[in-house]
Amino acid sequence: MKMKLSLAVCLLVAPLTNADTCNFDHAKAGELPAEWVGGVTGNGTAKWSVESDATAPSKSQVLKQSGAGTFLWCVLKDVALTNGAVAVNFKAVTGTEDQAGGVVWRFQDGDNYYVCRANALENNVRIYHVVKGRRVQFGGVNAKVTGNKWHTLRVEFAGAHFKVHYEGRLLFEADDKTFTTAGKVGVWTKADSCTAFDDFGFEN
C-alpha cells in the first residue's frame, strides 16, 4: 500500500493515478531527507545527501551517494508496494571499481530485496535478487551506459514478472519468485560508485 509523502521532497505526477515523484529540489542541501533512510548491504559506509547539480534533469538538486561499500541503498520509509513500477534518472559520476546506479523494490530489509542496475564500466543493465546479503542475477543485457551522463531506468513489476526499461524503451523482461510481498522502494549503488539520482518515481 502506498502512503502519502511530504510534498517537501515529493510532488504528485499528473495525470498518472497513484504515482509520485521525488525531485529533491525543496529538501535541505547536505542532508538526507527525513522521508528516506540509507544503509549498506555487507561492509562499508553509505553517505547519502542532497546536493546541488546544475546538470540535474529537474534543477537544481539531486540525491547523491558518495560513500563506499558492498551494496549501498536508500529507500523511502513509508512506501510499500507489491506490484507497480519504480523509475529514476541517474548519473554515475565517478568510480574505479564500479560506476553503477539502480532502483530497488520489494525491499524487506538491508539484506533482502530486488535491484536492477546499470553499470557504466561494464556497459550492461542487470536485474538481481538479494537474499541474506547475497546477490544473484536472473536477467540482463548489454547496453551503452556512459559515465557522468544522465540516464533513465524504470522497472515494472507484477507478481513474478518484471519489465526493465532503459532510456525510455523496453530493454528486457525477466521472471523470479523470490519476493512476493510488499516492500519499500528506492535507489542503489555499488562499491565506490559516486552516483547522483533525480526524479525518483513510483506508482502502484
Side-chain angles (χ1 to χ4, degrees), residues 69-83:
T70 308
F71 308 134
L72 305 113
W73 48 264
C74 193
V75 297
L76 284 163
K77 295 177 181 178
D78 296 326
V79 176
L81 303 180
T82 301
N83 298 315

Side-chain angles (χ1 to χ4, degrees), residues 167-179:
E167 303 292 54
R169 66 182 181 90
L170 178 63
L171 194 61
F172 66 89
E173 301 182 40
D175 293 279
D176 185 82
K177 297 180 179 179
T178 302
F179 302 112

Side-chain angles (χ1 to χ4, degrees), residues 3-202:
M3 300 183 183
K4 189 65 178 177
L5 297 175
S6 168
L7 290 179
V9 294
C10 295
L11 302 175
L12 188 65
V13 180
L16 292 174
T17 302
N18 295 326
D20 283 300
T21 186
C22 305
N23 61 25
F24 310 105
D25 293 335
H26 301 286
K28 185 176 180 180
E31 298 180 359
L32 179 63
E35 291 82 1
W36 294 77
V37 59
V40 179
T41 303
N43 301 314
T45 302
K47 185 179 179 182
W48 294 94
S49 61
V50 172
E51 307 291 343
S52 296
D53 187 333
T55 72
S58 60
K59 294 178 173 54
S60 59
Q61 293 191 146
V62 300
L63 178 65
K64 180 180 283 188
Q65 201 297 122
S66 54
T70 308
F71 308 134
L72 305 113
W73 48 264
C74 193
V75 297
L76 284 163
K77 295 177 181 178
D78 296 326
V79 176
L81 303 180
T82 301
N83 298 315
V86 287
V88 76
N89 293 315
F90 74 93
K91 178 176 68 171
V93 182
T94 60
T96 56
E97 182 178 346
D98 268 283
Q99 291 183 23
V103 290
V104 299
W105 66 99
R106 292 186 191 159
F107 180 98
Q108 309 299 305
D109 55 45
D111 289 328
N112 299 277
Y113 53 86
Y114 282 117
V115 56
C116 181
R117 67 95 182 108
N119 192 310
L121 295 185
E122 299 176 7
N123 281 310
N124 56 39
V125 178
R126 292 178 175 174
I127 191 171
Y128 307 84
H129 63 242
V130 178
V131 177
K132 296 181 179 179
R134 181 171 176 265
R135 187 181 65 160
V136 176
Q137 180 183 342
F138 62 92
V141 299
N142 292 331
K144 181 62 177 177
V145 184
T146 303
N148 207 33
K149 177 183 177 182
W150 287 100
H151 300 282
T152 62
L153 184 65
R154 174 184 171 91
V155 178
E156 299 171 359
F157 45 100
H161 191 64
F162 308 93
K163 295 181 178 181
V164 175
H165 299 253
Y166 178 66
E167 303 292 54
R169 66 182 181 90
L170 178 63
L171 194 61
F172 66 89
E173 301 182 40
D175 293 279
D176 185 82
K177 297 180 179 179
T178 302
F179 302 112
T180 59
T181 58
K184 293 179 172 59
V185 296
V187 295
W188 184 97
T189 70
K190 179 178 181 287
D192 64 343
S193 303
C194 178
T195 306
F197 299 90
D198 199 14
D199 301 323
F200 173 77
F202 60 92

